[in-house]
Amino acid sequence: MNETAFDEPLFASLKPGLTSFCYRMLGSMDDADDAVQETSIRVWQSWSTFRQDSSFKTWVYRIASNLCLDKLRQSKRRALPVDLFDPAVAIVEPRDTLPDSAWIWPSPDFGGNPEDRLVRRDTLRLCFIALLQTLPPRQRAVLILKDVFEWSSKQIAETLAMSPAAVNSALQRARETMDRAQLRSDELSSMDVQPEQLLLSRYVEAFEQFDIAALVALFHEEGCMSMPPFEMWIRGKEDLSAFYSLTRWHCEGSRFVPITVNGGYPALAQYMPGKEDSGLVPWGIHVIETKENQILHVQNFIHAPLFSRFGLPERIDR
């Protein structure tokens, strides 16, 4: 083979699944996109060395896996606020933040590839992504390829340069670690498959009117709200009411645009009043998790670059 024979359509067909693999590994779409782009460059550069002693797919995933493992050796674990800190004791305006690289961020869809649609959607839930980040990188790769992508131990061994026995051992340890992790985000994850549309509509109406009593009434008694990149998060109706009252000046006049995140889960993009009177600007992506038709956890990802990633406008009319 030679470089001019590089099969771009074949690589493109793998890209949605490859992106979803890298996102699960790295917890960030920015990092996942960088890994997939670097993979495509390395595949092109190494095309002449591909001897077909393994499938093209296995070879590509080997390159992507190595890139992800290298990235993870140089970075700290990404997480969600509820897994790093206790709920706020004093209700004040949030100030302390961690860098963007500290947090797990939601993802848009990876594309319409039929194979990608077969990948279990529950393994894209934010709480599952958080659990994955507790695993050592190689165990993480093994578990994703086995339990999510349903690869054989032999194919995983070829991809990760391990023996099938080592793959099975790593998989057992990874599953045990996941079972022991007991992350708070997992406890607060959606008990319902997805929020009822009526509940979402009531949330939008209460928030856009900024009717604090109506808004808090939608929450479970132990309901909470987190706001990465802020460390602070709030639990309980009384504290939620106090927080909304404190931040009324900031959020009043906001509008929502419905979107989906992480495999089709309903979410809301919040636009808030800008400095100019003419429009509203991006603020946060609300992912609402529910239990028994009450809000258990609102994750408000305050990260303006997410809006362009989701194909959302830079400004909307009031």
Side-chain angles (χ1 to χ4, degrees):
M1 292 189 181
N2 55 62
E3 290 182 355
T4 58
F6 172 53
D7 193 334
E8 291 188 30
L10 185 57
F11 182 84
S13 71
L14 297 179
K15 192 172 180 180
L18 202 63
T19 305
S20 67
F21 168 76
C22 293
Y23 172 68
R24 288 177 175 90
M25 284 290 292
L26 302 171
S28 158
M29 275 303 296
D30 286 343
D31 284 1
D33 280 348
D34 288 347
V36 172
Q37 178 64 24
E38 183 62 26
T39 297
S40 70
I41 293 170
R42 293 195 184 184
V43 167
W44 180 80
Q45 290 175 336
S46 306
W47 183 248
S48 61
T49 68
F50 176 48
R51 302 301 182 202
Q52 298 186 1
D53 53 348
S54 62
S55 72
F56 177 72
K57 181 177 180 179
T58 299
W59 182 60
V60 169
Y61 271 81
R62 182 184 306 152
I63 294 171
S65 298
N66 286 334
L67 279 165
C68 288
L69 293 174
D70 287 344
K71 283 178 176 287
L72 291 168
R73 290 188 192 100
Q74 301 167 21
S75 62
K76 294 182 179 179
R77 167 191 155 200
R78 288 181 179 267
L80 297 167
V82 296
D83 294 327
L84 295 180
F85 307 99
D86 289 329
V89 176
I91 302 305
V92 296
E93 286 186 35
R95 299 199 180 279
D96 294 333
T97 64
L98 292 179
D100 293 346
S101 60
W103 304 113
I104 291 165
W105 299 105
S107 75
D109 291 335
F110 302 113
N113 187 288
E115 179 183 348
D116 190 53
R117 287 199 293 270
L118 295 175
V119 174
R120 288 166 34 203
R121 194 172 76 167
D122 60 324
T123 66
L124 276 172
R125 288 167 58 188
L126 289 160
C127 61
F128 186 80
I129 301 299
L131 273 173
L132 286 174
Q133 309 308 303
T134 66
L135 298 175
R138 192 167 293 273
Q139 288 183 28
R140 192 182 311 175
V142 168
L143 186 132
I144 294 168
L145 292 174
K146 185 68 171 180
D147 286 359
V148 178
F149 286 78
E150 298 181 349
W151 285 21
S152 68
S153 295
K154 181 177 182 295
Q155 189 177 9
I156 297 171
E158 291 176 358
T159 301
L160 299 177
M162 302 167 67
S163 68
V167 166
N168 292 333
S169 176
L171 180 63
Q172 181 180 350
R173 295 196 304 274
R175 287 171 175 167
E176 290 172 351
T177 299
M178 295 268 280
D179 288 342
R180 291 195 309 265
Q182 296 183 329
L183 295 183
R184 189 184 274 129
S185 60
D186 195 38
E187 297 171 12
L188 295 174
S189 67
S190 173
M191 303 298 179
D192 302 327
V193 174
Q194 61 182 28
E196 292 287 342
Q197 187 56 49
L198 178 59
L199 180 61
L200 284 179
S201 297
R202 291 169 64 196
Y203 180 83
V204 169
E205 181 180 5
F207 200 105
E208 290 186 349
Q209 294 180 1
F210 220 73
D211 183 336
I212 294 174
L215 188 58
V216 173
L218 300 175
F219 280 81
H220 186 275
E221 199 62 41
E222 291 299 312
C224 58
M225 177 177 61
S226 56
M227 304 158 287
F230 293 103
E231 300 175 5
M232 177 184 179
W233 64 279
I234 298 111
R235 181 167 62 189
K237 287 189 174 185
E238 185 177 340
D239 284 354
L240 285 165
S241 180
F243 183 79
Y244 284 129
S245 297
L246 185 67
T247 57
R248 174 186 286 275
W249 67 272
H250 180 78
C251 291
E252 198 166 26
S254 292
R255 294 289 180 269
F256 283 118
V257 174
I259 60 171
T260 59
V261 302
N262 289 60
Y265 195 88
L268 299 162
Q270 178 193 352
Y271 286 79
M272 58 167 281
K275 294 180 179 179
E276 302 174 7
D277 292 337
S278 58
L280 304 173
V281 296
W283 178 245
I285 304 291
H286 294 224
V287 180
I288 300 172
E289 298 181 305
T290 62
K291 179 182 180 181
E292 298 170 352
N293 207 28
Q294 291 181 300
I295 296 173
L296 191 62
H297 186 195
V298 174
Q299 299 186 77
N300 182 8
F301 293 91
I302 301 170
H303 190 49
L306 283 174
F307 281 67
S308 60
R309 178 166 289 286
F310 280 90
L312 291 163
E314 293 181 2
R315 174 182 292 271
I316 64 172
D317 294 333
R318 287 180 182 269

